[in-house]
Amino acid sequence: MGTTENVAPDRRTLTAHPVRTTKSTRHRRGFLAVLWANKKSRAGMLLLGLFVMTALIGPWIAPYSPYATNYAIMQTPTLHHWLGTTQNGQDVLSELIYGTRLSLEVTFVAGFGATAISIVMAFAAGYLGRWLDDILSFITNVFLVIPGLPLMVVLAAYSPVRGIIVIMAVLTVTGWAWGARVLRAQVLALRNRDYVIAARFAGEAPFRIMFREILPNMLSLVGANFLGASLAALLGAASLEFLGFGDPTALSWGSMLYWAQNSGALLQGQWAWIFAPGFCIALLGMSLILLNFGLDEISNPRLRGES
Amino acid sequence: MRYLTRRVAFLIGTLWVALTFNFLIPRMMPGSPAETMIANFHGKGQINPNALHAIQIMLGISTAPLWKQYLQYWGQVLQFKFGISYTYFPYTVTHMIAQALPYTLILVGACTVISFVLGTSLGIAAAWWRGGRFDATATTALNFSSAFPYFWFALFAAYWVSFRFHWLPLSGAFSSSISPMFNWTFVSSALRHAILPALTIVISSMGGWLLGMRNNMISTLREDYIVLAEAKGLRASWIAFRYAARNAILPNITGFAMALGFVVSGSLVMETVFAYPGIGYLLVNAVGNEDYPLMQGVFLIIVLAVVMANFVVDLLYVFIDPRVSNEGRV
């Protein structure tokens, strides 16, 4: 339980403040450069860039329309259909390319939403108040204890509509607790630093202290959190859609897996139809994990020498 | 003592939140799926008025004021009366849960233990020979495995092992030609059906234990008392297990105890892929069939198990790591 409290204090913050302006401009320029310099996070950036490109220019590079149903159904990979066709005679490769956009959207919207809630909860609990801290920490712990997937399923079931918005909302609501806990510990650690106390004595408003003084000094932790929440959202969305709680008509990797499973793709020997979306999910997830390695080394310079 | 009261308060608080959530959500829904469901029940033949009453209380089909409904709801929950399942009419929800529970408890429970023991031991090895070949391969492979969806892996395992090579049965918990009884035919069939789901769970969940143990152990190995032990010339295995692992394992123990609580929720996805008749499968089916009484009952049982496990962990922790009971006092 005590592990989150022992988050190693960010060494950079000890020296950051007296020369804040120069430091932060240099820092902003250096952020991407540090990520790029690290071999693992460079691979992550390239991989993620590839997916973002595919999402943007998908309609131009897909060989067919993913909605066209005029091909022979349930084909295994052929020269014309590299990944085969579906039970309705759609081209699987085109579906995969078009589906990239929605899968990325769900991943990052839910990841962003969860991180935003985490930040608000962390500051409200860690900086603002004693009784508020008790209440918010209790709520956070409740969300940590209740098992994620069953909660997602029940929330999705009670929702009067099915669809991608519901999936994003459910993933956001179930995904913020861990981040809130980690960030709160960091806020608690930073709030008693000299520069924060000095800012308080100088009469700065609490909001300014929280968002201009403390937040910039925990950005890498927030970033790591965003990546973690996005990975959880990616896998959560895939599971929910696979189980049939998504919108089966929306084109995403998860709904492709749902249709593939429900038309018995594997039993028909159509391994490519199942393999491809799952592999894309795995690659996107891997790119997030690789990026996280780089962020870790930014926030914890001691790791840099080791690898 | 202060620690204990805090934990009890948390236990009660969590249960209250979960139960109240379960009470409020169906009542806040626009339209009433529950009423449509009750109407459909009448098409299914005679229904016991008592059971119908229980469902009405649980799902909020009532003209009574909300606070009164809330009290009635608590009364039902405390007696484990969740009404009748809509899908498995005329069986009660409690009956269905009792039927599914053993499969989940045995299969997922065994997997959790195996995966914890294997993962933690391998984590100790990876940390001890950190930077070596085993550490590099295991850490990279497991990082990759944490990025892909479990069901994807399970589908391919089922395809190759069961469908192509017919080594193991494809789905279910026992052969459809026999009925569940406690004899050798049934037990051996159940075991054969459990191997593949168990393997996929163990392989996919081992990584977390390994990485957690490895990272804790590496930071423990940097402590001064380890250096001292080495300087004294103690045997390497003695240092690894008695000095380092013993202290580094605490977070993993917490995780393990929590995981035991999660056993009851089973593995929704695993049970769906393999059509394994456990609690997770029951929940997914209940949602798919809009069987609200069953869904509510299953969810409550899952939450109850997790919260209780969490409480037990907190109590055990006082003995494993006495520092926690000083929390706040330092």
Side-chain angles (χ1 to χ4, degrees):
Chain A
M1 294 276 147
T3 47
T4 53
E5 311 286 334
N6 296 336
V7 172
D10 190 346
R11 284 302 168 90
R12 192 160 34 77
T13 58
L14 290 176
T15 51
H17 253 267
V19 281
R20 202 170 76 89
T21 44
T22 51
K23 180 83 181 179
S24 68
T25 45
R26 197 181 66 73
H27 180 68
R28 208 168 294 147
R29 192 156 18 90
F31 201 72
L32 283 178
V34 176
L35 279 185
W36 187 256
N38 180 288
K39 231 193 297 175
K40 283 178 180 164
S41 57
R42 189 191 304 166
M45 280 166 95
L46 289 174
L47 209 52
L48 182 61
L50 193 72
F51 280 115
V52 173
M53 279 301 281
T54 314
L56 291 176
I57 62 170
W60 289 281
I61 56 169
Y64 307 98
S65 160
Y67 306 105
T69 52
N70 41 359
Y71 312 106
I73 63 164
M74 299 295 269
Q75 289 182 62
T76 46
T78 65
L79 214 54
H80 295 287
H81 302 283
W82 291 358
L83 297 176
T85 56
T86 69
Q87 83 289 355
N88 292 326
Q90 292 142 298
D91 179 52
V92 173
L93 178 61
S94 305
E95 281 200 329
L96 188 73
I97 293 173
Y98 270 78
T100 309
R101 189 175 288 180
L102 195 55
S103 292
L104 281 182
E105 264 172 35
V106 173
T107 301
F108 291 119
V109 169
F112 183 82
T115 311
I117 300 182
S118 302
I119 293 176
V120 172
M121 294 295 267
F123 275 102
Y127 192 81
L128 288 182
R130 294 202 57 81
W131 60 269
L132 196 62
D133 186 20
D134 282 342
I135 295 174
L136 294 184
S137 295
F138 171 71
I139 297 176
T140 309
N141 285 333
V142 169
F143 270 87
L144 275 176
V145 160
I146 294 176
L149 200 55
L151 179 62
M152 288 183 205
V153 166
V154 169
L155 283 176
Y158 275 131
S159 157
V161 287
R162 288 274 160 90
I164 216 70
I165 304 284
V166 177
I167 296 264
M168 289 185 196
V170 165
L171 291 170
T172 306
V173 169
T174 52
W176 58 269
W178 184 249
R181 190 175 190 177
V182 174
L183 294 179
R184 171 184 164 271
Q186 184 71 357
V187 171
L188 283 179
L190 290 180
R191 62 169 293 174
N192 290 326
R193 289 285 165 79
D194 289 344
Y195 75 88
V196 176
I197 295 171
R200 208 177 302 151
F201 282 144
E204 287 192 30
F207 268 93
R208 197 187 144 77
I209 297 181
M210 282 190 267
F211 292 102
R212 296 301 298 275
E213 305 285 347
I214 298 184
L215 188 61
N217 281 305
M218 46 191 275
L219 269 188
S220 54
L221 196 59
V222 172
N225 221 286
F226 170 69
L227 293 176
S230 300
L231 178 62
L234 173 71
L235 296 178
S239 298
L240 279 179
E241 289 180 313
F242 175 73
L243 292 174
F245 300 120
D247 174 4
T249 59
L251 254 185
S252 71
W253 296 335
S255 66
M256 285 177 73
L257 286 165
Y258 169 77
W259 283 115
Q261 168 72 355
N262 279 3
S263 358
L266 277 182
L267 307 187
Q268 310 272 345
Q270 283 189 294
W271 57 271
W273 186 6
I274 292 217
F275 179 78
F279 191 65
C280 282
I281 293 174
L283 278 185
L284 180 58
M286 198 60 207
S287 79
L288 300 176
I289 292 180
L290 287 171
L291 274 173
N292 211 359
F293 276 120
L295 270 186
D296 259 354
E297 296 188 0
I298 289 179
S299 60
N300 192 354
R302 269 174 298 178
L303 287 172
R304 274 183 219 174
E306 252 177 88
S307 62
Chain B
M1 211 45 218
R2 182 159 171 268
Y3 174 76
L4 194 68
T5 33
R6 281 183 78 102
R7 296 334 297 167
V8 174
F10 180 68
L11 170 78
I12 295 170
T14 319
L15 284 179
W16 174 75
V17 168
L19 282 159
T20 308
F21 167 83
N22 223 357
F23 168 81
L24 282 178
I25 292 284
R27 285 167 176 77
M28 286 172 5
M29 301 259 294
S32 175
E35 270 179 53
T36 354
M37 205 198 72
I38 295 281
N40 287 340
F41 259 125
H42 291 301
K44 289 214 169 193
Q46 277 304 317
I47 178 167
N48 179 343
N50 269 333
L52 194 66
H53 185 63
I55 296 175
Q56 285 168 338
I57 292 175
M58 295 298 290
L59 295 175
I61 305 165
S62 165
T63 47
L66 206 59
W67 64 267
K68 209 167 177 181
Q69 290 186 38
Y70 191 53
L71 289 181
Q72 287 180 322
Y73 165 84
W74 269 99
Q76 297 285 317
V77 170
L78 290 178
Q79 302 170 58
F80 286 100
K81 279 190 191 163
F82 302 121
I84 285 188
S85 159
Y86 170 60
T87 333
Y88 303 97
F89 186 84
Y91 288 114
T92 61
V93 170
T94 321
H95 174 86
M96 293 312 299
I97 293 177
Q99 273 216 319
L101 208 51
Y103 291 108
T104 293
L105 285 183
I106 293 174
L107 177 61
V108 186
C111 288
T112 308
V113 174
I114 294 172
S115 145
F116 170 77
V117 172
L118 265 179
T120 308
S121 324
L122 291 178
I124 296 177
W128 189 252
W129 290 293
R130 60 193 172 283
R133 197 180 297 162
F134 170 72
D135 181 31
T137 352
T139 318
T140 318
L142 289 169
N143 265 318
F144 187 68
S145 79
S146 64
F148 61 65
Y150 160 79
F151 62 84
W152 183 62
F153 165 62
L155 284 174
F156 273 95
Y159 175 66
W160 287 108
V161 176
S162 306
F163 184 68
R164 287 303 275 272
F165 294 119
H166 302 286
W167 284 334
L168 291 167
L170 187 59
S171 67
F174 48 87
S175 164
S176 52
S177 57
I178 55 177
S179 56
M181 262 187 304
F182 204 75
N183 56 30
W184 177 241
T185 348
F186 174 71
V187 171
S188 66
S189 168
L191 279 178
R192 274 176 56 77
H193 280 77
I195 295 175
L196 188 59
L199 270 179
T200 59
I201 298 185
V202 169
I203 290 175
S204 68
S205 63
M206 210 171 67
W209 302 121
L210 194 158
L211 290 177
M213 188 64 200
R214 173 186 176 273
N215 293 346
N216 287 324
M217 177 110 167
I218 285 184
S219 41
T220 310
L221 284 173
R222 285 209 201 98
E223 302 265 344
D224 291 340
Y225 74 90
I226 300 287
V227 181
L228 176 66
E230 277 167 357
K232 281 199 291 189
L234 293 181
R235 258 185 299 128
S237 63
W238 191 269
I239 300 176
F241 291 103
R242 290 303 183 92
Y243 278 58
R246 201 177 154 173
N247 280 305
I249 208 170
L250 283 177
N252 256 27
I253 298 259
T254 320
F256 176 61
M258 286 295 290
L260 284 182
F262 287 128
V263 163
V264 172
S265 67
S267 165
L268 257 64
V269 183
M270 177 278 285
E271 289 174 9
T272 310
V273 169
F274 294 101
Y276 200 84
I279 290 284
Y281 193 56
L282 200 61
L283 180 63
V284 171
N285 275 345
V287 173
N289 297 320
E290 304 194 330
D291 187 345
Y292 291 102
L294 187 56
M295 188 175 89
Q296 251 189 346
V298 172
F299 187 66
L300 278 185
I301 291 293
I302 290 176
V303 172
L304 198 68
V306 177
V307 173
M308 290 307 289
N310 192 37
F311 181 66
V312 174
V313 178
D314 285 337
L315 292 191
L316 284 181
Y317 228 75
V318 179
F319 298 102
I320 308 174
D321 184 359
R323 284 172 297 181
V324 293
S325 50
N326 292 331
E327 83 176 342
R329 259 179 282 157
V330 184

